[in-house]
C-alpha cells in the first residue's frame, strides 16, 4: 500500500470516530500554509485522500474556503524579470523578443527567457556601470514593449525586495503594477500598450 493511501485510511478511520479531529484539522490548516500545501500534495497523489478532504469540507464552510483560497494562491498570476545584457553595449540594439546580448569581450550571451511557471508580465532589465540596474522591457502575450526611457530599479518598490542574479526573479502583483506605472510615466509613447498589459491582468496602476 502506498504511504498516501495508508495515511488516507488512518485519517478516514479517525474522522469517522471523532468530530473533534475535524476541529483540530481546521485549526492546523488555518494556522499553516505549509500544512495546506502538504494536504494539496497528498490530494494529487491519492484520489482516496481527496474524497476525505471533500468530506471534511462538507462539515465546514471554513475549511472549504481555506482550501479554495490556497488553490487560488497556487494558481495566481506570477511575474518575473530577466537579464538582457549590459545597458551601454546592448540597449541601442534591443528589440522585441530578444535572444542575445553582447558581452564586454565581444562574445554573445543568451538573454534570460520567460520561466515556464510565469504567466504574467515578463520584464527585462539591463545592468549599468556601478552595478545599478534598469528595466527596459515589458512583455505579456502578444504585447512586447521595449522602452525608450529605462526605469532605475528599486527592489523594495519593483521586485518584492529581491535582487538580481543568474536566474529571473519572481515578483507579485503589487510590484508588477508599480513597475508598469513607472514605465508609463517615463514612456508616454508606450503608455497604451503598457496599460493594456495591466488591464488584461487586472493589475492596479499607481498613477
Amino acid at each position: 500500500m502506498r504511504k498516501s493511501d495508508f495515511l488516507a485510511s488512518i485519517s478516514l478511520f479517525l474522522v469517522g470516530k471523532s468530530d473533534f479531529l475535524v476541529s483540530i484539522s481546521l485549526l492546523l490548516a488555518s494556522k499553516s500554509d505549509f500544512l495546506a500545501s502538504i494536504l494539496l500534495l497528498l490530494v494529487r497523489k491519492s484520489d482516496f485522500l481527496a474524497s476525505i478532504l471533500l468530506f471534511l469540507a462538507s462539515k465546514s464552510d471554513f475549511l472549504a474556503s481555506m482550501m479554495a483560497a490556497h488553490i487560488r494562491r497556487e494558481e495566481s498570476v506570477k511575474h518575473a524579470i530577466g537579464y538582457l545584457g549590459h545597458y551601454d553595449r546592448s540597449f541601442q540594439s534591443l528589440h522585441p523578443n530578444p535572444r542575445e546580448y553582447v558581452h564586454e569581450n565581444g562574445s554573445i550571451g543568451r538573454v534570460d527567457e520567460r520561466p515556464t511557471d510565469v504567466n504574467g508580465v515578463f520584464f527585462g532589465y539591463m545592468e549599468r556601470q556601478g552595478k545599478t540596474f534598469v528595466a527596459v522591457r515589458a512583455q505579456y502575450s502578444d504585447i512586447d514593449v521595449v522602452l525608450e526611457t529605462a526605469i532605475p530599479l528599486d527592489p523594495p518598490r519593483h521586485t518584492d525586495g529581491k535582487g538580481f542574479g543568474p536566474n529571473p526573479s519572481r515578483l507579485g502583483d503589487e510590484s508588477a503594477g508599480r513597475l508598469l506605472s513607472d514605465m508609463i510615466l517615463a514612456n508616454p509613447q508606450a503608455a497604451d500598450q503598457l496599460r493594456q498589459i495591466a488591464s488584461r491582468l487586472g493589475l492596479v496602476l499607481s498613477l
Side-chain angles (χ1 to χ4, degrees):
M1 179 183 290
R2 294 179 303 176
K3 288 183 178 179
S4 58
D5 287 338
F6 180 65
L7 176 61
S9 299
I10 294 174
S11 298
L12 184 60
F13 172 76
L14 292 175
V15 168
K17 291 293 184 181
S18 174
D19 284 339
F20 178 68
L21 178 63
V22 176
S23 300
I24 294 298
S25 299
L26 290 174
L27 175 63
L28 292 175
S30 66
K31 294 291 185 183
S32 172
D33 282 345
F34 176 71
L35 177 60
S37 299
I38 294 299
L39 291 174
L40 288 171
L41 174 63
L42 292 174
V43 166
R44 297 189 183 101
K45 296 292 185 181
S46 169
D47 290 338
F48 189 50
L49 181 58
S51 66
I52 292 175
L53 291 177
L54 286 173
F55 169 75
L56 289 173
S58 69
K59 285 185 169 286
S60 169
D61 289 340
F62 172 73
L63 178 59
S65 61
M66 183 280 298
M67 291 177 64
H70 190 80
I71 291 171
R72 284 195 297 271
R73 285 198 297 273
E74 281 201 333
E75 296 177 348
S76 64
V77 174
K78 298 176 183 177
H79 316 279
I81 186 166
Y83 184 66
L84 299 179
H86 195 280
Y87 183 86
D88 292 339
R89 290 185 292 274
S90 301
F91 181 68
Q92 293 301 320
S93 60
L94 184 64
H95 53 79
N97 194 31
R99 298 296 184 189
E100 301 173 336
Y101 65 88
V102 181
H103 286 290
E104 187 174 4
N105 61 7
S107 62
I108 301 299
R110 296 285 293 178
V111 304
D112 284 342
E113 296 183 357
R114 170 185 284 269
T116 56
D117 65 331
V118 170
N119 57 354
V121 189
F122 187 41
F123 297 99
Y125 75 95
M126 289 183 162
E127 181 181 355
R128 277 180 163 166
Q129 295 295 334
K131 289 292 182 181
T132 59
F133 303 94
V134 291
V136 295
R137 179 193 183 210
Q139 182 271 325
Y140 173 70
S141 185
D142 59 328
I143 303 176
D144 195 343
V145 181
V146 173
L147 305 179
E148 291 185 11
T149 302
I151 306 301
L153 285 167
D154 175 18
R157 176 173 174 77
H158 296 137
T159 63
D160 293 351
K162 296 175 182 176
F164 307 96
N167 298 307
S169 296
R170 271 68 166 178
L171 51 136
D173 284 352
E174 291 186 6
S175 288
R178 288 192 291 264
L179 185 48
L180 283 174
S181 297
D182 292 348
M183 289 179 168
I184 290 170
L185 291 173
N187 295 270
Q189 75 287 343
D192 287 346
Q193 287 180 295
L194 295 169
R195 286 181 184 277
Q196 282 185 50
I197 293 176
S199 177
R200 290 188 189 184
L201 292 169
L203 297 174
V204 177
L205 297 175
S206 53
L207 298 172

